[in-house]
Every structure is written in C-alpha cells, then in structure tokens.
Amino acid sequence: MKILTEASLSPTGERLKAIFLRLLDHFGPRFWWPAETPFEVCIGAILTQNTAWTNVEKAIRALKGADVLTVEGIEATPAGLLAELIRPSGCYNVKSVRIKGFVEWLRERHSGSLDMLFNEEWRELRKELLKVAGIGPETCDSILLYAGKKPTFVVDAYTRRLFHRLGLLTADAGYDEMRLMFMEHLPGDALLFNEYHALIVEECKTFCRTRPLCDRCPLAQQCPTFHSGCNP
C-alpha cells in the first residue's frame, strides 16, 4: 500500500507496518465491509454487537426480504416486528431499540441523510455519534470508517489478543489505548485502516485463536509469544 510504504514512521509504526504487510501478503485484500449501501453498514454495525457475523448476515437478509433496510423502512416498521426480523442477531429487542434510536437521531439531526451526516468534520461527528444510545466506540468507528470512509481505526477483542501476543499491548488494554496506537503511529488513511482491521479479524479467526495455531501463523517469526513457546 503506497501511503504506508512511503511514510516516515516511528519504531512502533514500523512494527505495525511490518505486521500489516505480512498479513496482506498472506491473506490478500479483504474487501471489507460487505454491504450494498452505507446505510446497510450502519445497521450491520449495530447488529454485530456481541454476535458472530454469520448471524448478522441472516438478520440483514431478513430486513432486505421485508424491504425495510432504508431509513424510511426502519421508521415505518413497528419495534416488535423489527425485533422479529433481526432475531438471528441475538439481543434482538435491545438492538431493535438501538436501530430505531439511531434512525430517529439521523432524522432529527441530519434530515435522515447519511450524505449530510458524513459531510461533517469526522472528529466532531464521532463525539456526536458516541452520545447516541447504544452506539459505543467500536460501533461508532465502524460506522465512520466503513460507511463514511473516515480515517478512524476500529479495534476489538481480536486486536487486543493479537497485539498483546505480539508484545505491543497489555492484556487489559482499553479501547482508546488500542485505537490510539494505530492512530498515532500510522498514516491517517481510511483505506489503510479498513484493510488493517479486516486483516486482524482474519488472522485471529484463522490462526491467533483463543488456542492459537502458532506453527502455521504468518506472524510467528515476529511474535514473542511464539518464540517463548506459544503459551499465551
């Protein structure tokens, strides 16, 4: 990735760069987030809270099948019916309320338009989004990065697991600490951040699992955990 290879980076940035390039070489581009519209990304970001992506896909298919995966469609759908449609995603009653709340906020603050929403300065928009009920940091950054193409890094439990084992984060690192490591040491580029997070997810689902497959991992040679005997 040109913006990364041409940048002058700190030692931590160089380490992050080496990890990224190794993962990209092994897995190839991930083309994440799989969605047809930015609005679908926003709803998917709420649905994916505390569940597997396969469950989100089922819920998204149900919303599309009912022809309600639009701002107007969500507004016109009773909360109970919406909950039934998204049942596969788990916590469906709570998520139904959160989706309704997000759409209501979008209507009130930005006339129901994602174009108007994402036309704002993204750092100020992030502060505003975090005030919406049910929109935590990971959901907020997912909406900004994947739907709005804003240069904010998304981190999750996979990020903590992988980079703790790689010696770059503590086991109890919080969201802001993890996010700032990437934001402060890499070029602020939405495409780079998109690809990096997707590669982290793929690495942790494939190799850096709870019980890691260290002997097959593409990052093994640069991983202190592997060299210490692969005993996380």
Side-chain angles (χ1 to χ4, degrees), residues 87-101:
R87 179 182 283 268
S89 70
C91 303
Y92 47 92
N93 288 317
V94 171
K95 290 178 181 178
S96 172
V97 172
R98 290 177 178 177
I99 289 170
K100 282 282 193 179

Side-chain angles (χ1 to χ4, degrees), residues 69-87:
L69 194 52
T70 60
V71 171
E72 295 75 17
I74 296 296
E75 288 175 327
T77 304
L81 175 56
L82 179 61
E84 284 303 311
L85 289 170
I86 66 171
R87 179 182 283 268

Side-chain angles (χ1 to χ4, degrees), residues 207 212-218 220-221 226 230:
F207 299 109
L213 304 176
C214 292
D215 58 330
R216 309 178 197 175
C217 176
Q221 294 308 312
F226 172 74
C230 197

